[in-house]
Amino acid sequence: MSRSSNDIHEPELRPLLSTGFVYRVTAAVVVLAALTAAISLAGRWFGENLALAGHTASNELFDIFIGQDHLRLPANMIRFEAQRATSIVERVDLYLTWPGLEGYSDQSRALFNNVDAPESLVFLQISQSTMSRDMSGRLEPIYSQVFDGAPTAGPAGLTEHAVKATSSYAGEVFLTAETTTPAPYVVRCLKSDPKAISTSADCQRDIHAGKDLVVLYRFSKKLLPKWREIDQAIATFVKNRLVP
């Protein structure tokens, strides 16, 4: 039986992609593009901040008040981001290049990030003094009581003193020297180990500064031959950063 032309229904002609579908795809593409741009920007920001590793090259000055003393310090010398603000604090932590005693900059980035050159930096912790004597003043009443055995010659005119294994200073040595002042030079260092890798904190010494500050500074044992220069430079640096 034949069919009339009225019985034959041609399929409705529709676009392969509906208008609604096109809109949805377009919206998805826009969202993906926005996400890609955001990820790119975030990655760039993260990469730059990762490279900085908490450092800043900013020279913005902050007024730091510790006890009776007032310090004015640039941001790039202050080690921790949370301390980079004008404020009253218990202490401030600094890191400086050696021998320049300068803060972080784009030019000195390698010095701050190179763990294989610990002698490039010195670290300072400045706080209100809690003891009437600094390290030099504690030599006779405290440190000399734990010395063990005969002293030996150290680098650059220093005298090395071993300590009793039962003392709280076990694993360390003291190095001392006479100076042009009545106060002797005294520094504590980790006991030398040929297999150990030197760090920027092998040795530490503290001195009094300002009205009532104690400045504890740490440096690599590789810098011991420069002990005179370091001690004078640190004292002068802090004096120049104090506000009358």
Side-chain angles (χ1 to χ4, degrees):
M1 182 176 178
S2 62
R3 295 184 180 179
S4 67
S5 60
N6 292 332
D7 293 328
I8 301 174
H9 300 285
E10 295 287 336
E12 185 178 352
L13 293 175
R14 295 180 179 178
L16 294 176
L17 298 177
S18 69
T19 303
F21 181 74
V22 170
Y23 287 156
R24 289 195 295 273
V25 170
T26 302
V29 169
V30 171
V31 171
L32 286 173
L35 285 173
T36 301
I39 291 170
S40 177
L41 289 173
R44 187 181 306 166
W45 179 89
F46 181 76
E48 290 174 352
N49 283 273
L50 184 63
L52 285 173
H55 310 311
T56 179
S58 171
N59 288 311
E60 181 182 359
L61 292 173
F62 296 115
D63 290 296
I64 309 294
F65 299 89
I66 303 175
Q68 305 175 56
D69 293 278
H70 174 189
L71 293 158
R72 184 163 292 150
L73 299 161
N76 66 342
M77 290 184 177
I78 300 174
R79 187 178 176 191
F80 301 117
E81 184 177 0
Q83 295 179 344
R84 296 173 190 149
T86 291
S87 55
I88 300 172
V89 297
E90 294 182 356
R91 79 179 202 198
V92 63
D93 296 89
L94 312 179
Y95 51 179
L96 309 168
T97 60
W98 176 259
L101 295 188
E102 298 175 344
Y104 177 87
S105 68
D106 293 337
Q107 293 73 27
S108 64
R109 177 182 301 175
L111 299 179
F112 284 80
N113 294 331
N114 187 1
V115 296
D116 295 324
E119 66 276 14
S120 299
L121 299 176
V122 292
F123 293 82
L124 282 65
Q125 184 182 99
I126 305 175
S127 58
Q128 188 170 12
S129 178
T130 57
M131 301 183 71
S132 60
R133 303 183 185 214
D134 61 11
M135 208 159 184
S136 294
R138 298 195 296 271
L139 175 60
E140 288 302 325
I142 299 177
Y143 302 142
S144 64
Q145 307 305 310
V146 299
F147 289 171
D148 188 30
T152 58
L158 292 169
T159 299
E160 184 173 313
H161 306 267
V163 298
K164 297 174 183 177
T166 55
S167 76
S168 59
Y169 303 104
E172 300 179 3
V173 295
F174 283 82
L175 295 109
T176 63
E178 296 298 322
T179 68
T180 56
T181 70
Y185 176 84
V186 182
V187 65
R188 290 168 54 189
C189 296
L190 295 175
K191 198 170 183 179
S192 296
D193 183 350
K195 298 181 181 179
I197 299 174
S198 177
T199 71
S200 296
D202 295 331
C203 299
Q204 73 172 46
R205 168 170 164 77
D206 65 67
I207 58 175
H208 281 167
K211 297 175 183 176
D212 192 28
L213 292 176
V214 59
V215 181
L216 187 153
Y217 67 87
R218 297 183 174 91
F219 59 95
S220 168
K221 61 187 176 186
K222 291 183 178 181
L223 290 177
L224 278 174
K226 301 290 185 181
W227 64 269
R228 293 183 183 86
E229 293 94 324
I230 295 174
D231 207 49
Q232 182 58 53
I234 296 296
T236 301
F237 170 83
V238 175
K239 180 180 179 180
N240 290 342
R241 294 292 173 177
L242 285 166
V243 179

